[in-house]
Amino acid sequence: MAEAVPVRCPECLRENGYAAPVFPCACGAPAELPLDPSAPPAVLTHRNWSEAWVRARCAACGRVGEWPQPEVGCGSCGTVVRLAVLPVDAPGQPGGGATGGGSGAGHAAAAGGPAVPLPVPVPRAPFRPVTIRTARDAVATAALYLRWLGFRDVRRPEGPPVPSAAVDLRAPGLVAQVDPTTAPAGLRAVECVWLNGLAASASGVYFALAGYTQEARSRADALGIPLFIMDLTGMPQPLNEAAEALVTAGA
């Protein structure tokens, strides 16, 4: 990934670190999304799958591809913001107008110093995100991330599914809920994963694509439920201290 750049949340004004992901182009070269430093972050209130993709040009071969729109969740208030990407024909883009530093890394240097990344002292290989295009991809990504954290035998429980927007994942000592919908997870969802964890003598974890309501975040903090948010790049981000502690210590 590129160097992290500070992104100011338009709701609480806290700065969050964000590094533009690098995707593999069809030519084999890494394709980096060039962020537009002149466009302010836009609060994401509703996610439309068809509008969640941007076009970017590979600097190596000039091929234009579609990639997930960059998003970042605020670690303070939970607001999810969408970041603008330079158009493929913008000056500085490969094959665009004038030449000159048009890469995301260049914008990172121009935007200022990077935010301090979360410490991950547990020795493990970097997590390899999988692009999320469908709800099934979101569930698969959460399962992969839990295995990366050290949980074993992560699977969906057998039997008829429970009527819910979220998908249940289980592992020894773990109950996880994955919400792939376009609405923020609410208070009841967090309480349900906590109760399911109590019933199974396990820890509860929640993953959501669209973030959480403030009530849900407050209750999760009080109950010690780790909250993660996933963007379409497939990289979960911890949103509270319980989630940061889980990433730090692992399973």
Side-chain angles (χ1 to χ4, degrees), residues 48-68:
N48 187 318
W49 290 100
S50 63
E51 297 176 355
W53 302 86
V54 294
R55 300 170 72 241
R57 190 185 303 275
C58 174
C61 68
R63 180 184 283 107
V64 175
E66 290 190 345
W67 312 105

Side-chain angles (χ1 to χ4, degrees), residues 140-152:
T141 295
L144 286 173
Y145 192 77
L146 289 170
R147 295 188 187 103
W148 177 76
L149 287 174
F151 292 99
R152 304 302 179 197

Side-chain angles (χ1 to χ4, degrees), residues 37-129:
S38 64
V43 175
L44 182 61
T45 57
H46 178 76
R47 178 177 282 107
N48 187 318
W49 290 100
S50 63
E51 297 176 355
W53 302 86
V54 294
R55 300 170 72 241
R57 190 185 303 275
C58 174
C61 68
R63 180 184 283 107
V64 175
E66 290 190 345
W67 312 105
Q69 179 88 30
E71 298 172 5
V72 59
C74 179
S76 178
C77 68
T79 299
V80 180
V81 297
R82 180 169 286 172
L83 308 180
V85 173
L86 288 172
V88 294
D89 57 351
Q93 281 278 66
T99 60
S103 68
H107 298 316
V116 178
L118 294 176
V120 186
V122 174
R124 61 170 76 101
F127 177 69
R128 295 181 178 274

Side-chain angles (χ1 to χ4, degrees), residues 7-242:
V7 177
R8 186 177 296 277
C9 174
E11 295 293 324
C12 69
L13 302 182
R14 171 179 171 173
E15 285 193 347
N16 299 272
Y18 177 79
V22 177
F23 300 97
C25 177
C27 72
E32 182 179 313
L33 295 180
L35 302 180
D36 185 351
S38 64
V43 175
L44 182 61
T45 57
H46 178 76
R47 178 177 282 107
N48 187 318
W49 290 100
S50 63
E51 297 176 355
W53 302 86
V54 294
R55 300 170 72 241
R57 190 185 303 275
C58 174
C61 68
R63 180 184 283 107
V64 175
E66 290 190 345
W67 312 105
Q69 179 88 30
E71 298 172 5
V72 59
C74 179
S76 178
C77 68
T79 299
V80 180
V81 297
R82 180 169 286 172
L83 308 180
V85 173
L86 288 172
V88 294
D89 57 351
Q93 281 278 66
T99 60
S103 68
H107 298 316
V116 178
L118 294 176
V120 186
V122 174
R124 61 170 76 101
F127 177 69
R128 295 181 178 274
V130 178
T131 301
I132 298 176
R133 295 178 180 271
T134 66
R136 180 174 296 181
D137 292 339
V139 177
T141 295
L144 286 173
Y145 192 77
L146 289 170
R147 295 188 187 103
W148 177 76
L149 287 174
F151 292 99
R152 304 302 179 197
D153 193 25
V154 179
R155 55 185 173 79
R156 295 181 64 172
E158 298 179 357
V162 178
S164 171
V167 177
D168 198 17
L169 289 175
R170 300 291 180 104
L174 172 75
V175 173
Q177 291 283 311
V178 185
D179 188 347
T181 66
T182 57
L187 173 64
R188 182 177 179 183
V190 169
E191 290 179 336
C192 282
V193 74
W194 177 69
L195 291 172
N196 290 339
L198 285 180
S201 298
S203 300
V205 181
Y206 210 102
F207 293 84
L209 269 178
Y212 304 84
T213 64
Q214 187 58 51
E215 292 81 4
R217 283 178 56 87
S218 297
R219 184 58 58 88
D221 290 342
L223 298 175
I225 301 296
L227 299 182
F228 291 88
I229 189 169
M230 298 186 294
D231 60 22
L232 298 184
T233 66
M235 177 61 76
Q237 300 179 42
L239 278 188
N240 59 0
E241 291 184 2

